Amino acid sequence: MNQPDEPTEQTSIEQPDAWDQLEQIVAAGDPDAAHTFLKELPPGEDARIMAQLSETEQHEFIALLDDENAARLMESLPELQAGQLLSTLSAEQAAHIFDEMNSDEQVDLLDQLTDAQSEAILEEMDPEEAENVRFLSKYSRLCAGGLMITELLSFQETETVDDVVSDLRKNAEKYAEYNVQYIYVINADLQLVGVLRLRDLLMAPPGRKLSKMMIANPHSFPDMTPLQDLLHFFDAHPLFGLPVVDENKVLVGVVRREDVEAASEELAGKTFLRFAGIMGGEELRSLPLKTRSARRLSWLSINILLNIVAASIIAMYEETLESVIALAVFLPIVSDMSGCSGNQAIAVSTRELVLGVIRPSDWLHVFRKEFGLGIVNGLALGILLGGVAYIWKGNPYLGLVIGGALALNTLMAVCLGALIPLLLKGFKLDPALASGPILTTLTDMCGFFLVLSFAQALLPWLI
Amino acid sequence: MNQPDEPTEQTSIEQPDAWDQLEQIVAAGDPDAAHTFLKELPPGEDARIMAQLSETEQHEFIALLDDENAARLMESLPELQAGQLLSTLSAEQAAHIFDEMNSDEQVDLLDQLTDAQSEAILEEMDPEEAENVRFLSKYSRLCAGGLMITELLSFQETETVDDVVSDLRKNAEKYAEYNVQYIYVINADLQLVGVLRLRDLLMAPPGRKLSKMMIANPHSFPDMTPLQDLLHFFDAHPLFGLPVVDENKVLVGVVRREDVEAASEELAGKTFLRFAGIMGGEELRSLPLKTRSARRLSWLSINILLNIVAASIIAMYEETLESVIALAVFLPIVSDMSGCSGNQAIAVSTRELVLGVIRPSDWLHVFRKEFGLGIVNGLALGILLGGVAYIWKGNPYLGLVIGGALALNTLMAVCLGALIPLLLKGFKLDPALASGPILTTLTDMCGFFLVLSFAQALLPWLI
């Protein structure tokens, strides 16, 4: 929690030669140069530089840094990148760097490694710290226990303000790394019984017992509290952190706002990628081609099958299509437009679910809202595209077929798009992952069917 | 910053009848019931309940709350929702609620209103506060000045620890709302010269001058520092806030980590919606149908034109299509699959831009990475779909046409998808907004052209 001593200028500076600089430093093997380089790098720039270094270069650069700076660098990189970097180090090197990190960061980084790798590092670490990390990694990343840090200040309720202040003085060194915001008061059974703000200590008479001045029965999270609830809570309360207790009400850690928000941002990033059909974890281009290709193909291959299923509808109407070839021009348009309308509805539902504005049980409310919008947009788009078809071939019936099909299909697409995420969420599935493909398959099939069956019905007037 | 006195239980409880409860409370007009209701609501639940109330009901409910609670409720709602709620109140009611909020929240909420509405509220507010809000709203939401709060503790460098502590004691009441983390030290010209942590006060002899113990020349942000840089900084440094100074180095406010992270989450949410083609601001279903429909149509109508342009390629090959009608089945598949591959690349580039792992100037690095992946995925998908075409019609040349076209088009799609966001970003345009439509139009046109021109070339073997 020391104030950084970097230059005040924050606007990130384009520095084309930063990379070359770094390579020279690595080549020269000059630790001081490496530290100055890191210090003078504009914020966020480090991630970009490292992304462009080869594994060997990354390895050589890290080797130049002292453990403290290596730890800070790894913390500032996206976890995926930090994990790659870590895996290039020996277990011993890694362990030393780990000793400079907070417990939660240690756990997050080990998550990025294979069990064998992380086990090797834990072996090398200070036994007590390793013990602690093993304890924390039992928790899922997405609950209070998985997000909390165990570096906290707790005192017995029987102690006095003086006891605390003198302890703070004595351990100022050690506590410097802690985010000391609150002092937690525990009873003989290590259960949380109260909390104090540093401010309260400043303003209280030295001799007073903590039990006499603490905020009793403070708010705390059970260690299994899910991320969403933590996020909602911190949104609603301007607190920096809250104590976490186990099922016996024993104080086990502190979950900090910053970690909760970082976790939810990370989640949002993953959701964003999954929404675009990238599975099995985040993709950064520094990952090996094999992994990247696999993660993208894993759903492209599903998607192509769904596409074939949808297109099979067209195959069933080959004769109709043959006699009114113009329809072939509009099939992709109807399918694409309906897909877009549906995806908008999916996005809004996904967003409203995240904001907690709707729940799966609100499907009727959502359906009503979306049905109205579907009629308006359906008519607008149908008239537009139908008009184009009419003018192009000078045949009003063609316009009727195309416009009518698009209008109906849009209505269906927005209703489906709005409800699918609720349905998936209701079944505890990930809306971002499955909504898109399911929707487009359905809208494609339905769109092709509507266009071609309308056409068949009006065939005499179309040819 | 007081510890909330809510029940410890955090797991959000399904309560189907919460809404009815609320309606009864509103009907009964019982303030106490309203307050208890809010208090017992699981976190985040309030947003959902309000979303389902009619404007009148929302209005009546807010009227039941005291200013303090009304302020807390509004802060916990998504801004869009809070804005709607606010606009149902009289300027005077709103002003009273505003006096309970931090300066940054006041500004954010006024952003949601028309100038007339916000002017009316400012008129009713405590003149000093209004003055302050007017000052803050000069700044963009997305820079340090627009995110900072002006509630901070600053003291002259000539003062002593005792002066500070006694001031803290005297104003404990008032400072309770402040997020007291640091104490800022200024000189006679009100310029920031140092910073102190509460901890430092605890550990220092009472008589010492601040100038003797402060961390001199602390890190600070110029008031125009953009959000991205703030975010990068807080990612890299475990600080709760940093002072903001104007061009004369005068201390004007404090920007807090929580506000920076909230702003970037809000931005991510908007990006997510824009990515799905919702323009002109966020959509919540509580908005009027007219607005919602317009925001979605605004790009659907662009998209339909782009689609028509792309499909016109098909129109140019009607004869070829007529003689090999099977092609019509594969056109939508090729167009959709290429769109998907391209969108994956767009998502990865957008994500890497957000993480700061790449810059527009890195386009060559990105292109190389994507080209390799395009070849692998292109071959995989081409062989798959080509095989299906071959087997379906028993004609190897059809397989060659379809497979070859998809392979080439996939390669093009991923390269374009990867580069378009960089290009747009380079031109200071919003990648999330324009990337999708541009990409799909190009991939559609190119895909249709490849399939149909290959078919034309091999026509003798296809019929």
Side-chain angles (χ1 to χ4, degrees):
Chain A
M1 278 268 340
N2 302 319
Q3 288 280 343
D5 46 5
E6 287 165 20
T8 300
E9 185 48 65
Q10 277 304 310
T11 54
S12 66
I13 308 139
E14 267 292 358
Q15 37 178 216
D17 50 329
W19 191 15
D20 314 342
Q21 269 187 52
L22 187 52
E23 285 188 321
Q24 289 162 17
I25 292 168
V26 171
D30 175 351
D32 301 347
H35 289 133
T36 347
F37 175 80
L38 263 191
K39 202 164 255 174
E40 284 166 2
L41 219 49
E45 196 58 8
D46 44 11
R48 180 169 161 255
I49 301 289
M50 297 308 279
Q52 305 199 355
L53 291 182
S54 73
E55 288 226 329
T56 348
E57 289 168 316
Q58 292 189 11
H59 177 71
E60 288 165 356
F61 180 63
I62 279 285
L64 288 180
L65 302 176
D66 58 44
D67 299 337
E68 170 67 22
N69 278 290
R72 296 292 90 73
L73 173 61
M74 290 214 176
E75 288 168 9
S76 77
L77 295 177
E79 267 163 30
L80 194 54
Q81 233 179 337
Q84 285 178 272
L85 194 50
L86 198 59
S87 56
T88 70
L89 299 176
S90 78
E92 197 189 348
Q93 289 171 302
H96 286 130
I97 297 175
F98 264 53
D99 291 335
E100 299 296 326
M101 297 184 183
N102 272 338
S103 45
D104 61 332
E105 283 137 3
Q106 295 170 336
V107 177
D108 295 352
L109 269 180
L110 288 181
D111 270 5
Q112 303 285 325
L113 303 179
T114 68
D115 294 355
Q117 287 173 315
S118 52
E119 199 36 57
I121 294 176
L122 287 168
E123 291 302 330
E124 294 290 336
M125 281 171 66
D126 160 312
E128 197 179 310
E129 289 232 346
E131 181 46 46
N132 180 27
V133 171
R134 287 207 174 83
F135 162 70
L136 284 176
S137 35
K138 292 200 319 282
Y139 291 106
S140 138
R141 276 295 299 281
L142 301 179
C143 75
L147 292 164
M148 71 188 182
I149 57 169
T150 51
E151 292 84 359
L152 55 81
L153 297 185
S154 64
F155 294 87
Q156 285 293 330
E157 55 188 334
T158 52
E159 296 184 87
T160 66
V161 172
D162 248 359
D163 300 331
V164 176
V165 172
S166 55
D167 176 80
L168 287 181
R169 292 229 173 82
K170 201 153 71 271
N171 300 307
E173 190 57 28
K174 169 174 168 218
Y175 297 158
E177 318 170 352
Y178 290 23
N179 280 329
V180 186
Q181 295 311 317
Y182 307 105
I183 283 165
Y184 299 101
V185 186
I186 54 177
N187 63 18
D189 307 334
L190 307 180
Q191 295 171 316
L192 177 72
V193 293
V195 65
L196 281 166
R197 289 160 300 168
L198 286 179
R199 182 160 6 125
D200 304 325
L201 287 175
L202 267 172
M203 304 176 184
R208 178 170 294 175
K209 267 217 173 56
L210 300 189
S211 54
K212 295 269 165 301
M213 55 183 290
M214 69 191 185
I215 303 165
N217 319 317
H219 197 100
S220 68
F221 290 121
D223 51 7
M224 291 304 177
T225 311
L227 174 61
Q228 271 308 324
D229 296 350
L230 299 175
L231 195 61
H232 284 316
F233 179 86
F234 280 112
D235 282 348
H237 303 97
L239 297 170
F240 293 98
L242 269 195
V244 179
V245 296
D246 66 14
E247 63 279 5
N248 309 322
K249 300 265 170 273
V250 169
L251 177 64
V252 289
V254 176
V255 61
R256 298 175 300 176
R257 165 186 291 274
E258 59 190 279
D259 297 326
V260 169
E261 282 173 342
S264 85
E265 265 187 23
E266 193 194 326
L267 204 61
K270 291 214 178 100
T271 311
F272 176 68
L273 288 183
R274 276 200 303 273
F275 198 77
I278 290 165
M279 290 182 172
E282 273 197 278
E283 172 178 339
L284 288 180
R285 294 204 169 90
S286 41
L287 289 173
L289 174 60
K290 210 168 112 291
T291 321
R292 297 171 54 221
S293 168
R295 286 186 178 175
R296 296 200 197 177
L297 277 177
S298 58
W299 105 255
L300 287 177
S301 45
I302 301 172
N303 195 52
I304 200 168
L305 296 182
L306 298 177
N307 262 286
I308 292 170
V309 173
S312 60
I313 298 271
I314 306 180
M316 288 163 25
Y317 285 90
E318 279 196 357
E319 299 72 21
T320 320
L321 203 50
E322 209 148 10
S323 40
V324 193
I325 199 69
L327 295 172
V329 177
F330 290 98
L331 287 176
I333 303 184
V334 171
S335 117
D336 184 68
M337 289 307 296
S338 312
C340 292
S341 300
N343 275 320
Q344 291 179 323
I346 287 181
V348 175
S349 285
T350 313
R351 179 77 176 141
E352 286 196 327
L353 283 170
V354 171
L355 287 176
V357 171
I358 54 168
R359 287 269 188 78
S361 51
D362 303 330
W363 64 272
L364 191 59
H365 163 76
V366 169
F367 176 76
R368 284 208 205 87
K369 289 286 187 179
E370 219 51 37
F371 190 84
L373 183 138
I375 288 180
V376 176
N377 287 9
L379 284 176
L381 297 172
I383 291 168
L384 181 55
L385 191 61
V388 171
Y390 170 31
I391 293 159
W392 178 40
K393 292 290 179 183
N395 180 337
Y397 295 98
L398 183 66
L400 201 64
V401 168
I402 302 297
L406 181 57
L408 267 180
N409 210 41
T410 303
L411 176 58
M412 193 204 64
V414 294
C415 294
L416 276 177
L419 294 181
I420 289 174
L422 275 64
L423 194 70
L424 293 171
K425 178 94 174 191
F427 287 120
K428 303 258 169 295
L429 298 170
D430 176 358
L433 186 56
S435 298
I438 297 178
L439 174 90
T440 44
T441 312
L442 292 173
T443 51
D444 282 3
M445 294 183 76
C446 178
F448 296 149
F449 171 76
L450 288 171
V451 172
L452 293 164
S453 55
F454 284 7
Q456 200 168 38
L458 297 180
L459 206 48
W461 295 275
L462 292 175
I463 41 184
Chain B
M1 278 276 331
N2 301 319
Q3 289 281 345
D5 44 6
E6 287 166 19
T8 299
E9 187 45 67
Q10 277 305 312
T11 53
S12 65
I13 308 138
E14 266 293 358
Q15 37 175 217
D17 50 330
W19 192 16
D20 314 340
Q21 271 187 48
L22 186 53
E23 286 189 320
Q24 290 164 16
I25 293 169
V26 171
D30 175 351
D32 302 347
H35 288 132
T36 351
F37 175 79
L38 263 191
K39 203 165 257 174
E40 285 165 2
L41 218 48
E45 195 59 11
D46 45 10
R48 180 168 161 257
I49 301 289
M50 298 308 279
Q52 306 200 353
L53 291 182
S54 73
E55 288 227 329
T56 346
E57 290 168 316
Q58 291 188 13
H59 176 72
E60 289 166 353
F61 179 64
I62 278 286
L64 288 180
L65 302 176
D66 58 42
D67 298 339
E68 170 69 23
N69 278 291
R72 295 294 87 75
L73 173 61
M74 289 212 176
E75 289 168 8
S76 78
L77 295 178
E79 267 163 31
L80 194 55
Q81 234 181 336
Q84 287 177 271
L85 194 48
L86 198 60
S87 57
T88 70
L89 299 175
S90 77
E92 197 189 348
Q93 289 171 300
H96 286 131
I97 295 175
F98 263 54
D99 291 335
E100 299 297 326
M101 296 183 182
N102 271 339
S103 46
D104 61 333
E105 283 138 3
Q106 295 171 336
V107 177
D108 295 353
L109 270 180
L110 287 181
D111 271 5
Q112 303 286 326
L113 303 178
T114 67
D115 294 355
Q117 287 172 313
S118 52
E119 198 38 55
I121 294 176
L122 286 167
E123 291 301 329
E124 294 290 337
M125 281 171 67
D126 161 315
E128 197 180 311
E129 288 231 346
E131 181 48 44
N132 181 27
V133 171
R134 286 205 174 84
F135 163 70
L136 284 175
S137 36
K138 291 200 320 281
Y139 291 105
S140 138
R141 275 295 300 279
L142 301 179
C143 74
L147 292 165
M148 70 189 183
I149 56 170
T150 51
E151 293 84 359
L152 56 82
L153 297 183
S154 63
F155 294 87
Q156 286 293 328
E157 54 188 333
T158 51
E159 297 185 85
T160 66
V161 172
D162 249 359
D163 300 331
V164 176
V165 171
S166 56
D167 177 81
L168 288 181
R169 290 228 173 82
K170 201 153 73 276
N171 300 307
E173 188 60 28
K174 171 175 168 216
Y175 296 158
E177 314 168 357
Y178 290 23
N179 279 330
V180 186
Q181 293 312 317
Y182 306 107
I183 282 165
Y184 299 100
V185 185
I186 54 178
N187 63 18
D189 306 333
L190 306 180
Q191 294 170 315
L192 177 72
V193 293
V195 66
L196 281 167
R197 290 160 299 169
L198 287 180
R199 185 162 359 129
D200 304 325
L201 286 176
L202 267 172
M203 302 174 185
R208 178 169 294 176
K209 268 216 172 60
L210 300 189
S211 54
K212 293 270 167 298
M213 55 183 291
M214 69 191 185
I215 302 164
N217 318 316
H219 197 99
S220 68
F221 290 120
D223 51 6
M224 291 306 178
T225 311
L227 174 60
Q228 271 309 320
D229 296 350
L230 299 175
L231 196 62
H232 283 316
F233 179 86
F234 280 112
D235 282 347
H237 302 97
L239 298 170
F240 292 99
L242 270 194
V244 180
V245 297
D246 67 13
E247 62 280 2
N248 308 321
K249 300 267 170 274
V250 169
L251 178 64
V252 289
V254 176
V255 61
R256 297 174 300 174
R257 165 186 291 274
E258 59 189 280
D259 297 325
V260 169
E261 283 173 342
S264 86
E265 265 187 24
E266 193 194 325
L267 204 61
K270 291 213 178 100
T271 310
F272 177 68
L273 288 183
R274 276 202 302 274
F275 199 77
I278 290 164
M279 291 181 172
E282 275 197 275
E283 171 178 340
L284 288 180
R285 293 204 171 90
S286 41
L287 288 173
L289 175 60
K290 212 167 112 291
T291 320
R292 296 171 56 221
S293 168
R295 287 187 178 174
R296 296 198 196 179
L297 277 177
S298 57
W299 105 254
L300 287 177
S301 46
I302 301 172
N303 195 54
I304 201 167
L305 296 181
L306 297 176
N307 262 285
I308 291 168
V309 173
S312 62
I313 298 272
I314 307 181
M316 291 165 18
Y317 284 92
E318 278 196 358
E319 300 73 19
T320 319
L321 205 50
E322 210 149 6
S323 39
V324 193
I325 199 69
L327 294 172
V329 177
F330 290 97
L331 287 176
I333 302 184
V334 171
S335 119
D336 183 71
M337 288 307 297
S338 312
C340 292
S341 299
N343 275 320
Q344 291 180 323
I346 287 180
V348 174
S349 285
T350 313
R351 179 80 176 138
E352 285 196 329
L353 283 171
V354 171
L355 288 175
V357 172
I358 54 170
R359 287 267 189 78
S361 51
D362 303 331
W363 64 273
L364 192 58
H365 164 76
V366 169
F367 176 76
R368 286 209 204 89
K369 289 285 190 180
E370 221 48 40
F371 190 84
L373 184 140
I375 289 180
V376 175
N377 285 11
L379 285 176
L381 297 172
I383 292 169
L384 182 52
L385 190 60
V388 171
Y390 171 29
I391 293 160
W392 178 40
K393 292 289 178 183
N395 180 336
Y397 295 97
L398 182 66
L400 201 63
V401 167
I402 302 299
L406 180 58
L408 266 180
N409 210 41
T410 304
L411 175 59
M412 194 206 62
V414 293
C415 293
L416 277 178
L419 294 180
I420 289 174
L422 275 64
L423 193 71
L424 293 172
K425 178 92 176 198
F427 287 119
K428 302 256 171 298
L429 297 168
D430 177 358
L433 186 55
S435 298
I438 298 177
L439 175 90
T440 44
T441 313
L442 292 174
T443 51
D444 282 3
M445 294 182 77
C446 179
F448 297 149
F449 171 75
L450 288 171
V451 171
L452 294 165
S453 55
F454 284 7
Q456 200 168 39
L458 297 179
L459 205 48
W461 295 274
L462 292 175
I463 42 183

